[in-house]
């Protein structure tokens, strides 16, 4: 298990800190993803856990021991931390064979030869590279090299595996395939993992929990489902998945006056700045509703684009805004049609602009 | 007053006693039990091996070790460095007048009673140094390019404009600074300027100069006797002769203070001052002692007027040489 | 946060970098200090009395000195530009095209390293001297010319010959960089529609700039301080450069001692120049990740198909080989067979003899000198390469010693380039005379220390340039696998850097075997090297024997270079599969 306590990191010579007071607790066997746009500090945080960067303040513990503690002057060097890491560039050593690459952590730990051989074979089988053991690392494709990197990290059986955007250099199809494999692999072995990516779909598919990061801070931390269906911040709603958000003008209990009209929400709170909804949650009907009920709005269809699984509609609301809707592909829409959109009350999300305290 | 007289008497008696008590054989015997005599000198070791072998035929027990230092300047600096850092340097130091004199001025040389060692007085202008050999200036020419009758016999003939663009020279104008010892600085400078007008080709040392005369790169040059010998003896078409006035650099040997084997040093230098020693040195290195008439060098310059500054005038000579070198350098540009 | 406790944690792990810094201070700072002190002493000897600025006044107050500087600048810039172009073209042809016989080409291009430059210059005198040069005679006979077409005794001649001598060094630096270029970076440029000139200007040159700048800085400083070629080709016609002045001050200055004070005063200028060059090099390579090209992604650099240009390329390489190796070597062999120095002619051909070679082989001193040269060169090369790797690693990949500590380490490793070999020698004499309990004065061991110091700059630059190209994640990955920094260097960095390090090793071996001024100065009883022996023959009036030694020197180095080529070729197989 890994714990970060109020971690700060400012690079020497930098004007601003890259990581600002980040705290997180990763339970054993949990798969946590640090998700955010580039430059948000997620890689810096990951590298701090690895010991490849030195934080300016805070503490990190891996397993039960402190790996880093600024106040107590503890800074365990990378090679003594119980971690393994998969790099974005794969970092597979070109002058060694696949087997040698994977065996390296065990050789470094001076494990006996037969143990090394067995564990390497085992792990190569797990990643599907049996038979390539004696191939030179430079003769492999990108995907194969990534598997070598993963195998090398697996063979160590460390307390936590750190993964720094390991799939971002693969082509889309391979990426999709490897995502599922990776998740399955890690769950089978039961490893604790901290994963960094900017790809939200990946984060949603792989993680037990997601820590959404922006400008060095954790904005929201939660399970994929929670974060997707019930984000609490504007950033969470718009970065993870898409959302149509409407600025709040006045709140009266569960009735919110927004810039596009009155909407009803489930729970009454006073500190929403916006109300949002996922495009696929918006219901559409192809006629004007004579008596629009709560959360129903009229509009005109601007365009409809068919994309296989669904249709992407752009609706010009009478209230003045254009919104995107993801509808089922079975109905045929025509541009210019009158449309009624409905925001189901249970799908409306109340959002604030600040980072949610966690 | 009496004290002084007594002291002087004692010193004199001691000196006399030294001369008679310590003959060369006794010195040699004392030297045998000491570490080898270290000899700092600038000839190649193959050559000095021959000298030392000849020495050991006479004094088999006295070992001599030669360390080659590539030039007088380096030799002097090394001696200074060693004296300053550890208090002793090579037992025997052989170098130019300015080098040895400079070391004497620093107090690094021992005063030696040369007479008691049998060294002729002509070789020892000072109790600190002994003339061992000399670099003697000659004119040398390529016999295919210059007929023997044409070749200069006097300095005036050397400076004739017909040698323009055909002359080779050492990069140092040392011949002319030595000429100034007998001609006077003004005349020598005038001669130097006329020489420079010939646009001589400059060489780092007289050895490549002699090679260049041999290969025809230049038709003739002002070089040294000993550096002209090698290509000449190898069959190159070179001839040389001494001019009417012969400038030269006498090479002196000295014994350093705190020498590890002072006795051996004395024996060795005494031997070098004999005909046998001087000839052995000349055979090996080409440089002979011009003040011992049996050497080839002495024969070569017989009857000519010699021109060289005395060691005490080293500072003056130094300033003059610097000036002349600059003139030569500046004038050689094309 | 408690700064004191953090610092103590660092200290525990910092003994190796601290030791490294101490070693470098010992090797470099002491000669440097002696040089500076010497410049302020009237006599130039550091332990004499007096402190004055007169040395500076004498040197920089002399109008002639600035004429010297101008000549030197022309010479140095000319050599730098020419060597960069020639070396760059050759390196590119060998590493980035499908040139045939590449392995042979590598050996051929590296060979000239082993010829002592003054022998190279002497060879060219015999070829292109207006009066006796063989090429001139051939041309005049063939075309009936009145005037000789070639004159080697010119600035152009000096630049030409020195360039030939410098190309191997440039080739080594640049070929490493070329070999490690990621084709994806170039392909990106090409798919953007960039054509060749733009590609060279905006992609190649910037990517290669650490290597190019390292090469240029090295060439510039060497061009300023080198003596043999300007001495042999410039001095005869009154073309003097700064090194001529330095050598004059050491050996020909009147007054009874070498004028070390004046030499030191001149050297100070070059130290300043060198510091400026080092500063700009650091600024350029500060964002080192910009130049990373070796990642774990494994690639083979893109090879250009020469096609119709193949014969032209081969001809170019051959031309270089003829000019830099065959012609001077031929003259060397000729000279070793003639009884006295003479240009090529039918008459002389009748007088050829093997007597000089026999004399050289039967001289026991030559054998001893050869043995000394071999072990001193190999030991120095090994030590300095290891040291260079450690310095480069500490500066580029660790956080030890703090940023200023690492800067100091880097600068110290670069400094010896600007200190003339004679001053390093002089400093070592003082040091080991004083530290008499270390009994290396006058032995070959003092040569080893001198050469490690002298060649530290080139080796560290080579190691740094290669390390910059190595993706840091390759060694970070090792650390996350539990490898200590030492293990990481041994099992990951060293093998990956081996081609570059091997090249640096052979370069040092070649240069030590031919190095003269330091070996001459440090001569003691039994540390005569082959180069000194060679020079001894030359300066003693036996150029034929000197040439004979030179010929065998080339033979020995050729064998060593071929062995090196075979060993590093095996590495390439691992890389390119």
């Amino acid at each position: 298990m890994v714990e970060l306590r109020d971690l700060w990191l400012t690079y020497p010579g930098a004007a601003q800190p890259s990581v600002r007071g980040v705290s997180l607790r990763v339970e054993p066997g949990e798969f946590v993803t640090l998700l955010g746009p580039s430059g948000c500090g997620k890689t810096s945080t990951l590298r701090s856990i690895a010991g490849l960067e030195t934080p300016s303040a805070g503490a990190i513990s891996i397993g039960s021991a402190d790996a880093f503690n600024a106040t107590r002057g503890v800074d365990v060097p990378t090679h003594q931390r119980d971690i393994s890491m998969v790099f974005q560039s794969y970092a597979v050593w070109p002058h060694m064979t696949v087997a040698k690459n994977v065996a390296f952590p065990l050789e470094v730990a001076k494990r006996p030869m037969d143990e090394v051989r067995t564990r390497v074979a085992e792990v190569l089988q797990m990643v599907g590279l049996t038979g390539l053991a004696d191939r030179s690392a430079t003769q492999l494709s990108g995907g194969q090299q990534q598997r070598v990197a993963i195998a090398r990290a697996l063979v160590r059986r460390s307390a936590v595996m750190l993964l720094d955007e390991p799939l971002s250099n693969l082509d889309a199809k391979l990426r999709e395939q490897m995502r599922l494999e990776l998740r399955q692999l890690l769950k089978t072995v039961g490893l604790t993992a901290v994963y960094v990516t900017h790809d939200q779909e990946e984060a949603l598919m792989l993680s037990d929990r997601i820590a959404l990061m922006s400008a060095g801070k954790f904005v929201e931390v939660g399970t994929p489902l929670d974060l997707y269906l019930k984000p609490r911040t504007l950033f969470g709603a718009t970065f993870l998945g898409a959302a149509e958000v409407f600025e709040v003008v006045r709140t009266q209990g569960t009735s919110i006056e927004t810039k596009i009209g009155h909407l009803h929400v489930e729970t009454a709170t006073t500190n929403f700045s916006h109300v949002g909804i996922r495009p696929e949650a918006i219901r559409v009907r192809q006629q004007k509703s004579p008596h629009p009920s709560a959360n129903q709005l009229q509009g005109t269809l601007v365009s409809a684009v068919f994309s296989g699984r669904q249709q992407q509609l752009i609706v010009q609301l009478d209230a003045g805004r254009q919104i995107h809707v993801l509808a089922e592909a079975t109905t045929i829409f025509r541009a210019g049609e009158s449309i009624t959109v409905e925001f189901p009350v249970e799908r409306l999300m109340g959002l604030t602009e600040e980072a949610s305290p966690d | 007053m009496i004290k002084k007289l007594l002291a002087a008497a004692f010193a004199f008696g001691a000196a006399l006693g030294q001369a008679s008590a310590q003959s060369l054989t006794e010195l040699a015997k004392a030297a045998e039990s000491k570490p080898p005599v270290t000899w700092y000198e600038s000839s190649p070791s193959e050559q000095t091996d021959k000298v030392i072998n000849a020495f050991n035929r006479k004094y088999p027990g006295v070992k001599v070790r030669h360390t080659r230092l590539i030039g007088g300047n380096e030799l002097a600096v090394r001696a200074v460095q060693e004296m300053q850092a550890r208090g002793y340097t090579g037992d025997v130091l052989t170098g130019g007048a300015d080098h040895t004199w400079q070391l004497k001025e620093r107090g690094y040389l021992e005063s030696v009673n040369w007479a008691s060692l049998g060294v002729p007085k002509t070789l020892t202008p000072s109790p600190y140094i002994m003339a061992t050999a000399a670099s003697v200036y000659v004119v040398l020419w390529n016999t295919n390019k210059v007929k023997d009758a044409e070749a200069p016999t006097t300095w005036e003939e050397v400076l004739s404009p017909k040698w323009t663009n055909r002359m080779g020279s050492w990069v140092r104008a040392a011949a002319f600074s030595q000429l100034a010892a007998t001609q006077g600085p003004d005349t020598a400078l005038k001669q130097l300027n006329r020489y420079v007008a010939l646009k001589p080709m400059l060489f780092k040392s007289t050895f490549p100069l002699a090679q260049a005369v041999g290969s025809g790169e230049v038709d003739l040059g002002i070089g040294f006797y000993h550096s002209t010998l090698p290509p000449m003896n190898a069959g190159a078409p070179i001839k040389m002769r001494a001019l009417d006035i012969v400038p030269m650099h006498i090479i002196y040997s000295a014994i350093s203070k705190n020498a590890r084997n002072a006795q051996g040093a004395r024996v060795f230098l005494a031997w070098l001052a004999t005909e046998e020693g001087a000839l052995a040195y000349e055979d090996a290195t080409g440089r002979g002692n011009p003040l011992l008439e049996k050497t080839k060098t002495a024969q070569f310059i017989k009857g000519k007027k010699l021109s060289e500054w005395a060691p005490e005038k080293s500072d003056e000579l130094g300033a003059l040489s610097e000036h002349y070198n600059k003139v030569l350098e500046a004038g050689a540009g094309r | 946060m408690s700064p004191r406790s953090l610092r103590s944690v660092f200290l525990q792990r910092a003994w190796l970098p601290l030791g490294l810094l101490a070693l470098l201070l010992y090797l470099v700072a002491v000669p440097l200090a002696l040089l500076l002190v010497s410049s302020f002493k009237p006599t130039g000897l550091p332990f004499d009395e007096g402190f004055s600025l007169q040395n500076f006044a004498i040197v920089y107050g002399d109008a002639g000195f600035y004429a010297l500087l101008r000549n030197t600048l022309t010479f140095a810039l000319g050599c730098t530009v020419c060597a960069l172009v020639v070396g760059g073209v050759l390196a590119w042809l060998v590493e980035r095209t499908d040139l045939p016989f590449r392995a042979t080409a590598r050996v051929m291009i590296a060979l000239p390293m082993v010829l002592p430059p003054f022998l190279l210059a002497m060879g060219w005198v015999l070829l292109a001297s207006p009066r006796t040069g063989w090429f001139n005679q051939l041309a005049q006979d063939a075309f009936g010319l009145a005037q000789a077409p070639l004159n080697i005794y010119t600035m152009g001649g000096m630049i030409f010959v020195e360039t030939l001598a410098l190309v191997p060094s440039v080739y080594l630096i640049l070929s490493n960089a070329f070999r490690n270029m990621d084709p994806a970076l170039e392909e990106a440029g090409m798919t953007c529609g960039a054509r060749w000139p733009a590609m060279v200007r905006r992609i190649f040159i910037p990517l290669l700039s650490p290597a190019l700048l390292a090469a240029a800085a090295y060439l510039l400083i060497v061009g300023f301080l080198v003596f043999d070629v300007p001495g042999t080709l410039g001095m005869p016609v009154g073309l003097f450069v700064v090194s001529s002045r330095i050598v004059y001050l050491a050996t020909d200055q009147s007054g009874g001692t070498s004028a070390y004070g004046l030499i030191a005063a001149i050297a100070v200028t070059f130290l300043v120049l060198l510091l400026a060059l080092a500063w700009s090099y650091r600024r350029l390579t500060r964002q080192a990740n910009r130049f990373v090209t070796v990642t774990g992604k494994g690639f083979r650099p893109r090879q250009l198909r020469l096609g119709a240009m193949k014969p032209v390329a081969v001809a170019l390489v051959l031309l270089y080989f003829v000019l830099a190796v065959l012609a001077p070597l031929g003259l060397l062999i000729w000279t070793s067979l003639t009884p006295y120095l003479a240009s090529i002619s039918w008459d002389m051909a009748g007088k050829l003899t093997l007597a000089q070679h026999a004399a050289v082989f039967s001289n026991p001193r030559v054998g001893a000198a050869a043995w000394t040269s071999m072990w001193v060169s190999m030991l120095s090369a090994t030590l300095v390469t290891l040291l260079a790797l450690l310095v480069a690693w500490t500066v580029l990949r660790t956080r030890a010693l703090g940023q200023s500590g690492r800067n100091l380490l880097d600068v110290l490793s670069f400094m010896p380039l600007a200190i003339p070999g004679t001053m390093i020698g002089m400093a070592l004499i003082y040091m080991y005379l004083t530290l008499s309990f270390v009994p290396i004065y006058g032995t070959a061991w003092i040569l080893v220390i001198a050469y490690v110091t002298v060649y530290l700059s080139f080796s560290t630059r080579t190691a740094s340039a290669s390390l910059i190209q190595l993706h840091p994640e390759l060694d970070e990955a090792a650390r996350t696998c539990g490898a200590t920094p030492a293990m990481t260097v041994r099992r990951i960095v060293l093998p990956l850097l081996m081609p570059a390090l091997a090249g640096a090793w052979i370069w040092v071996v070649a240069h030590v075997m031919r190095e003269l001024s330091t070996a001459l100065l440090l001569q003691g009883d039994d540390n005569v090297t082959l180069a000194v022996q060679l020079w001894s023959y030359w300066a003693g009036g036996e150029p034929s024997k000197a040439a004979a030694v030179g010929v065998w020197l080339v033979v020995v180095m050729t064998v060593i270079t071929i062995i090196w080529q075979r060993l590093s070729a095996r590495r390439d197989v691992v890389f390119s599969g």
Side-chain angles (χ1 to χ4, degrees), chain C residues 328-392:
Chain C
L329 191 59
L331 260 304
L332 209 60
I333 295 177
W334 166 266
T335 308
S336 70
L337 297 173
T338 53
Y340 54 89
L341 197 68
S343 54
I344 299 180
S345 68
W346 286 116
D347 297 335
M348 279 313 293
K351 297 189 194 148
L352 295 180
T353 162
L354 284 172
Q356 281 81 247
H357 284 264
V360 161
F361 274 104
S362 56
N363 183 348
R365 285 178 188 275
V366 172
W371 169 242
T372 306
S373 279
M374 295 241 29
W375 76 259
V376 167
S377 62
M378 296 206 177
L379 183 62
S380 309
T382 312
L383 288 177
V384 80
T385 311
L386 276 174
L387 195 57
L389 177 63
L390 287 175
V391 169

Side-chain angles (χ1 to χ4, degrees), chain C residues 59-60 62-70 242 245 266 269-270:
Chain C
V59 168
Y60 298 103
D62 176 14
F65 184 68
Y66 298 97
L68 272 188
L69 270 185
R70 243 176 292 131
V242 170
R245 166 78 49 221
I266 297 176
T269 315
F270 293 102

Side-chain angles (χ1 to χ4, degrees), chain C residues 443-499:
Chain C
T443 67
W445 292 97
I446 207 175
L447 287 177
V448 173
I449 297 189
Y451 288 136
V452 167
T453 312
V454 167
Y455 295 114
L456 190 59
S457 313
F458 183 82
S459 310
T460 321
R461 281 314 107 202
T462 310
S464 293
S466 307
L467 198 55
I468 284 181
Q469 285 189 312
L470 199 71
H471 200 303
E473 281 182 5
L474 286 172
D475 32 272
E476 283 174 351
R479 287 161 65 196
T480 60
C481 288
T484 59
M487 269 187 242
T488 309
V489 171
R490 198 165 40 95
R491 296 200 54 185
I492 308 293
V493 178
L494 193 59
L496 286 176
L497 249 43
M498 198 50 100

